[in-house]
Amino acid sequence: MLLAAGCFEAGCAWTTTGSTATVAAATAKTFSIVARGDSVPRGTNCSCTPYPPLTATGLSKTTGDKVTATNDSVAGYTTRNVLNQLNNNQNVINHVKKAGVVEIEIGANDIAHNSTCVPSVACYAPKVPTMKEKLLSIVRRAQSLVSGQKHLLVLLDYWSVWLGGKYAANKGQAYVAAAEELTDRVDSAIRR
């Protein structure tokens, strides 16, 4: 899907040879990717390059365009925080206004694990519709900021809204089951 972003902006032509697809840019262009979200796009605690700059590098190599990435994501942010940034933070607003691609990954912290709910899906489930409504407001606001120019808005979902893998397993089967169910619900809301 992100390859499509480069082609969307650059006006690429696709050619397919066997199982290899080649993208040829009509003319090289410059455009930016702006990431909005939480610790996942920020790359918090991963000791790695987060995906927004990886996407920009990959698109630059694939399309021949100059693609930059601005990562305005903040660890711990919820949909409320991102919406507030899009409405009140002039630097973020300016970044989005100039973006060719806006990547948004947010919502997990709206359903953050806490000691009151423990791993009870019923306790967390009422938070999902509120997260979904705020996410819809984020999408509408981002679209209004980039209106009048070609752009691609990309919503990304989660592998797990809580700890995953061995870290989740160490917390027990009830935690794992609740994390999987809530991740499915959050991801479904993001897709809708």
Side-chain angles (χ1 to χ4, degrees), residues 118-121 162 168-169 171-180:
V118 196
S120 166
V121 172
W162 294 346
K171 293 193 171 281
Q173 186 52 42
Y175 180 97
V176 171
E180 288 174 355

Side-chain angles (χ1 to χ4, degrees), residues 161-184:
V161 294
W162 294 346
L163 295 174
K166 68 181 179 181
Y167 303 103
N170 289 340
K171 293 193 171 281
Q173 186 52 42
Y175 180 97
V176 171
E180 288 174 355
E181 174 65 25
L182 288 167
T183 299
D184 287 346

Side-chain angles (χ1 to χ4, degrees), residues 69-92:
T70 302
N71 195 345
D72 287 324
S73 304
V74 179
Y77 263 24
T78 65
T79 52
R80 179 183 308 274
N81 299 123
V82 171
L83 186 57
N84 184 51
Q85 275 192 318
L86 288 171
N87 285 324
N88 300 307
N89 184 316
Q90 199 57 51
N91 286 333
V92 170

Side-chain angles (χ1 to χ4, degrees), residues 2 5-6 8-10 29-35 52-53 55-57 59-60 65-72 91-103 146 149-154:
L2 293 178
F8 178 81
E9 190 65 19
K29 297 184 179 192
T30 300
F31 72 99
S32 67
I33 296 171
V34 174
T55 302
T57 299
L59 285 172
S60 292
D65 294 334
K66 180 181 178 188
V67 184
T68 61
T70 302
N71 195 345
D72 287 324
N91 286 333
V92 170
I93 291 167
N94 289 338
H95 293 158
V96 173
K97 280 183 175 181
K98 297 173 187 171
V101 178
V102 179
E103 295 177 329
V146 292
Q149 67 184 38
K150 288 184 180 180
H151 67 277
L152 183 65
L153 183 65
V154 181

Side-chain angles (χ1 to χ4, degrees), residues 41-55:
R42 183 82 235 157
T44 305
N45 296 327
C46 76
S47 300
C48 64
T49 302
Y51 70 76
L54 289 174
T55 302

